[in-house]
Amino acid sequence: MKQEINPKETNRAHAFEMWMKSPMPMVTLTKTFDVTHLYKASKRRNVKFNTLLCWCIGHAASKMTEFYLLPEQDTLFQYDRLAINVIVNNKEGDINSCDIPYSDNFDKFCTDYTNLTLTTSASCQSIFDEEAAIIGTSTVMATELDCIVNQYSGIFNNPFLAWGKYRKSWLRTTLPISFQFHHVQMDGGHAARFLEELQQTINTI
């Protein structure tokens, strides 16, 4: 459920006053993750690597209250659940968006991920979840990338993670991931804590 709240009654009151009118309120952090365990788990369970990573992102974010807040125009909204947005290549050679509800139950999330992305690809129609706090993701698998900085349109203030092709070496598999967030939603310390939590989730999935 989505509801408007008074920013002055939250711990983001000062941030709202400082950054809501900023012409460029987005901040981007990039961290190189050790995804060796995740890569092995995807092979062992025969599950797509990106499906596993999206679940890890949702799991790490679900532990932080900041991800349930989202500034829009001159207001602040609070949500009671999360969803992960993925970009889907459709059958006509174009792309669509697909929002996948996050669930602590990985099997349910995996089933929803598979079914919803297949539906989006076949129908060429985006699937949006207006009642969930959306965490955007984008994958550029054609090449290895050090960093991705997303455009800021002023329309979408959602947190956003992006990555390229993972890097395999003899003993480790690594992946740089860029994390963009609105400064009203969280500070750099919160973002850093999320990235650390994401690494721990990846290590223990």
Side-chain angles (χ1 to χ4, degrees):
M1 185 178 70
K2 173 182 179 181
Q3 62 177 351
E4 183 177 345
I5 59 175
N6 184 350
K8 294 181 180 180
E9 297 176 356
T10 73
N11 61 1
R12 303 307 298 162
H14 179 67
F16 189 92
E17 181 180 348
M18 287 286 294
W19 303 111
M20 201 62 213
K21 298 296 185 180
S22 171
M24 181 53 207
M26 309 302 285
V27 180
T28 301
L29 303 183
T30 301
K31 176 181 173 65
T32 297
F33 288 81
D34 184 338
V35 294
T36 307
H37 185 73
L38 197 67
Y39 174 79
K40 291 179 178 178
S42 71
K43 298 299 183 183
R44 186 172 61 250
R45 299 189 61 168
N46 194 29
V47 176
K48 290 182 178 180
F49 178 88
N50 281 348
T51 305
L52 283 172
L53 181 53
C54 284
W55 183 85
C56 289
I57 289 168
H59 186 72
S62 69
K63 298 181 179 183
M64 297 183 60
T65 57
E66 289 77 17
F67 280 89
Y68 294 88
L69 299 175
L70 187 66
E72 295 181 22
Q73 297 179 353
D74 293 324
T75 57
L76 188 65
F77 288 93
Q78 186 171 45
Y79 297 78
D80 59 5
R81 60 186 181 86
L82 303 176
I84 309 297
N85 174 268
V86 298
I87 304 300
V88 178
N89 295 317
N90 66 35
K91 67 178 183 179
E92 295 181 355
D94 202 351
I95 59 173
N96 288 102
S97 288
C98 181
D99 293 344
I100 302 157
Y102 169 73
S103 171
D104 283 334
N105 184 319
F106 172 74
D107 289 331
K108 183 180 186 317
F109 178 83
C110 186
T111 298
D112 287 343
Y113 186 106
T114 301
N115 292 340
L116 291 172
T117 54
L118 286 176
T119 298
T120 298
S121 179
S123 67
C124 303
Q125 297 292 320
S126 296
I127 296 176
F128 296 113
D129 187 343
E130 302 291 349
E131 294 300 314
I134 305 299
I135 302 171
T137 69
S138 183
T139 308
V140 183
M141 296 300 296
T143 188
E144 297 175 352
L145 296 170
D146 295 324
C147 179
I148 300 176
V149 179
N150 192 33
Q151 66 171 338
Y152 174 62
S153 65
I155 301 173
F156 301 108
N157 294 333
N158 308 72
F160 178 83
L161 294 96
W163 56 91
K165 185 179 180 181
Y166 52 67
R167 302 170 179 180
K168 284 187 60 61
S169 62
W170 182 249
L171 295 175
R172 298 176 67 215
T173 303
T174 59
L175 179 66
I177 298 178
S178 297
F179 175 46
Q180 184 186 69
F181 59 94
H182 197 292
H183 213 330
V184 168
Q185 185 180 34
M186 66 183 77
D187 300 320
H190 300 113
R193 182 159 60 90
F194 163 69
L195 295 176
E196 287 296 307
E197 184 64 38
L198 177 55
Q199 179 66 78
Q200 292 301 313
T201 303
I202 289 170
N203 291 345
T204 57
I205 187 171

